[in-house]
Amino acid sequence: MVTEQSFIMVKPDGVQRGLVGDIIKRYEQRGYTLKGLKLMNVDKSLAEKHYEEHQGKPFFPKLVDFITSGPVCAMVWEGKNIVAAGRTMIGATNPQASAPGTIRGDYGIDMGRNIIHGSDSVESARREIGLWFPEGLAEWTPVAKPWIYE
Ligand code: YYY
Ligand code: MG
């Protein structure tokens, strides 16, 4: 089995609106493994590095202001196909285009308040995990694994 890891972050709007528990519950109950978790304030330099692919775009300054406006809940989740499946659970970038049942489709309206970030490829996940969790991740083997994977 190819096990992937994804960087998933509840943005300041999701933290302020009390959605952290629901979001963790969705990934946990689906069967993914929590490998890292912290609530933290984000400085400008980390926000700019995280979103470096968007530097120069019109929404970039607003995005950096938003991500640094309050604590975020940074997480690493692990499991089979977590990068793509994690994005499917999140929904489209614009919450108004996100299907009901997705996180953005259930809780969001505006693009600049879309609640959650999820890595868009295995390569970005590797980069983002290194950036947000330089201290490393927890090592453990969940006992439920044989009841999740065949
Ligand atoms: O990966 P994802 O978060 O779905 O979207 P990205 O295209 O990477 O954009 C990052 C972030 O920037 C997005 O979650 C909201 C914001 N944003 C925006 O405010 N306006 C846009 N036109 C595009 C993106
Ligand atoms: Mg993105």
Side-chain angles (χ1 to χ4, degrees):
M1 185 185 90
V2 182
T3 301
E4 296 177 356
Q5 293 179 337
S6 186
F7 175 67
I8 305 283
M9 170 179 68
V10 184
K11 296 179 180 180
D13 54 338
V15 173
Q16 291 285 358
R17 291 176 58 196
L19 298 175
V20 168
D22 176 83
I23 289 167
I24 291 175
K25 186 176 177 188
R26 288 176 184 231
Y27 288 97
E28 200 174 39
Q29 291 195 334
R30 187 151 186 198
Y32 295 118
T33 302
L34 185 60
K35 293 287 290 183
L37 171 74
K38 58 186 173 187
L39 189 75
M40 59 184 279
N41 291 96
V42 184
D43 62 27
K44 197 170 178 219
S45 147
L46 178 58
E48 286 179 348
K49 272 190 218 130
H50 173 73
Y51 281 122
E52 69 185 9
E53 66 174 305
H54 298 305
Q55 284 205 22
K57 296 182 187 170
F59 61 84
F60 185 74
K62 199 181 64 171
L63 180 59
V64 169
D65 282 351
F66 171 55
I67 292 299
T68 55
S69 67
V72 302
C73 182
M75 295 178 275
V76 176
W77 287 92
E78 184 178 274
K80 192 181 195 171
N81 199 29
I82 177 70
V83 173
R87 292 273 293 190
T88 303
M89 289 165 72
I90 287 172
T93 303
N94 184 350
Q96 288 184 62
S98 298
T102 65
I103 294 164
R104 287 171 176 165
D106 284 349
Y107 301 127
I109 299 171
D110 271 355
M111 185 117 84
R113 298 286 185 275
N114 66 3
I115 301 150
I116 183 165
H117 165 86
S119 304
D120 64 6
S121 67
V122 172
E123 198 39 56
S124 348
R126 198 169 297 126
R127 186 187 77 85
E128 292 167 1
I129 292 165
L131 189 61
W132 290 84
F133 287 89
E135 69 275 25
L137 302 171
E139 289 294 334
W140 66 297
T141 305
V143 292
K145 243 180 173 168
W147 303 103
I148 295 164
Y149 297 105
E150 61 181 9

